[in-house]
């Protein structure tokens, strides 16, 4: 945060802002209230400022992501949470989620399943806000449509979402392939492929990151659909498409990445010169074969 937007207040928190962000219900204002009255170290003030500057996405960052974004160590993030009176960063993160969701009546007395569903709605709100700039999705669509074959790279938990994209992309793209090995990537490149769509969701397999490096060696443009703007795949990607993964239950929810995948498919049909004809041909074929029950 620049000096013209922040000044140190009497409490020593160092995260006071002008009246522009202190609107009722504004995420930044809620965060400022959270930090008020706490005397923070310079490192902790950096973390606080980073949270205010990234108020929309702050509740969905892991401690390691926040540390990387702020340029501090992960233990510093833990100490910051404890300085605010929390048991640790997960405890602080839960409170940040509550601040982000606001005073939603349906959350009063809600059970853990309802809270998880509400958190997913918040993830989708963050995605909707990010899509206000359609540039990255449109750039990704152009790269992927121009590649023949179009290769989708995914391993382990990312495979179902990759298969979903492959299934629908094959309705309008002439050659769509899933790749899980270096051999398959080399074959796609030799066949004329120019771009790879990588689906990289947590937990990140080491092999996936290694294969992303191989994609760059082979000269592919890499579009990565992942869960955060920072992470192990970011440095290996030409276009990064982040959507937050839900972490409130035992297993992660991929609701927001799924919506982003469908948005990407829409963008691809928008720029594909053959999508309309191919989709119409499929409908004609499906009707002829009575493929679906009316």
């Amino acid at each position: 945060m620049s000096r013209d937007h922040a000044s140190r207040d009497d409490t020593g928190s160092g995260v006071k802002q002008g009246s522009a962000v202190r609107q009722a219900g504004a995420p930044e204002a809620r965060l400022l209230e959270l930090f008020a009255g706490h005397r923070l170290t310079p490192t902790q003030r950096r973390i606080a400022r980073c949270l205010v500057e990234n108020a929309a996405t702050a509740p969905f960052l892991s401690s390691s992501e926040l540390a990387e974004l702020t340029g501090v160590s992960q233990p510093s993030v833990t100490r910051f949470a404890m300085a605010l009176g929390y048991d640790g960063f997960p405890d602080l993160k839960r409170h940040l989620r509550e601040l982000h969701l606001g005073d939603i009546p349906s959350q009063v007395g809600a059970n853990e399943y309802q809270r998880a569903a509400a958190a997913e709605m918040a993830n989708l709100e963050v995605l909707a806000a990010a899509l206000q700039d359609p540039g990255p999705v449109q750039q990704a669509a152009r790269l992927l449509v121009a590649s023949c074959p179009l290769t989708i790279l995914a391993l382990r938990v990312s495979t179902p979402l990759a298969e979903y994209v492959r299934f629908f992309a094959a309705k309008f793209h002439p050659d769509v392939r899933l790749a899980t090995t270096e051999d398959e990537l080399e074959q796609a490149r030799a066949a004329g492929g120019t771009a790879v769509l990588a689906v990289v969701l947590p937990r990140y397999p080491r092999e996936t990151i290694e294969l992303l490096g191989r994609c760059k060696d082979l000269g592919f443009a890499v579009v990565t659909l992942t869960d955060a703007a920072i992470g192990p795949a970011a440095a290996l990607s030409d276009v990064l498409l982040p959507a937050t993964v839900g972490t409130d239950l035992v297993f992660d929810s991929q609701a927001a990445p799924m919506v982003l995948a469908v948005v990407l498919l829409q963008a691809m049909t928008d720029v594909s010169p053959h999508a309309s004809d191919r989709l119409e041909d499929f409908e004609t074929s499906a009707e002829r074969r009575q493929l679906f029950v009316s």
Side-chain angles (χ1 to χ4, degrees), residues 3 24 37 59 69 77 81 83 89 104 125 135 147 159 177 195 202 262 264 273 279:
R3 289 186 178 272
L69 189 62
V77 173
F89 184 74
I104 302 176
E125 288 177 0
S147 180
T159 303
R177 309 178 183 186
V262 179
L264 177 60
L279 290 172

Side-chain angles (χ1 to χ4, degrees), residues 203-240:
R203 301 167 69 186
Y204 315 110
R206 184 181 304 276
E207 187 178 359
T208 298
I209 306 306
E210 293 172 350
L211 288 173
L212 277 179
R214 184 59 181 145
C215 286
K216 300 306 296 180
D217 293 340
L218 290 169
F220 282 112
V222 176
V223 174
T224 302
L225 197 163
T226 188
D227 65 308
I230 55 177
L236 297 168
S237 305
D238 296 288
V239 182
L240 199 68

Side-chain angles (χ1 to χ4, degrees), residues 113-129:
Y113 309 134
Q114 291 174 301
R115 290 194 296 270
E120 285 307 308
M121 289 189 283
N123 289 341
L124 290 170
E125 288 177 0
V126 172
L127 175 61

Side-chain angles (χ1 to χ4, degrees), residues 217-279:
D217 293 340
L218 290 169
F220 282 112
V222 176
V223 174
T224 302
L225 197 163
T226 188
D227 65 308
I230 55 177
L236 297 168
S237 305
D238 296 288
V239 182
L240 199 68
L241 303 178
T244 308
V245 164
T247 59
D248 288 73
L249 301 174
V250 173
F251 301 111
D252 288 348
S253 165
Q254 299 179 359
M258 172 65 81
V259 171
L260 181 54
V262 179
V263 168
L264 177 60
L265 285 165
Q266 174 68 49
M268 290 170 66
T269 62
D270 289 342
V271 300
S272 170
H274 308 295
S276 180
D277 290 341
R278 289 182 181 275
L279 290 172

Side-chain angles (χ1 to χ4, degrees), residues 61-69 72 74 77 89 230:
L61 295 173
S62 68
S63 59
S64 59
E65 289 169 341
L66 178 57
E68 184 176 346
L69 189 62
V72 302
Q74 193 168 353
V77 173
F89 184 74
I230 55 177

Side-chain angles (χ1 to χ4, degrees), residues 13 15 35 38-51 70 72 75-84:
S13 67
V15 291
F35 304 141
H38 295 280
R39 191 166 291 277
L40 305 176
T41 68
T43 295
Q44 290 165 354
R45 291 199 295 270
R46 284 177 61 189
I47 299 170
R49 286 196 295 269
C50 182
L51 288 174
T70 311
V72 302
S76 293
V77 173
T78 300
R79 289 192 291 270
F80 167 74
M82 297 179 71
L84 296 177

Side-chain angles (χ1 to χ4, degrees), residues 7 22 50 53 87 93 116 127 130 161-162 212 240 270 288:
S7 61
R22 290 198 295 271
C50 182
E53 290 170 348
D87 294 334
K93 184 175 179 178
L127 175 61
L161 183 52
L212 277 179
L240 199 68
D270 289 342
R288 175 179 55 80

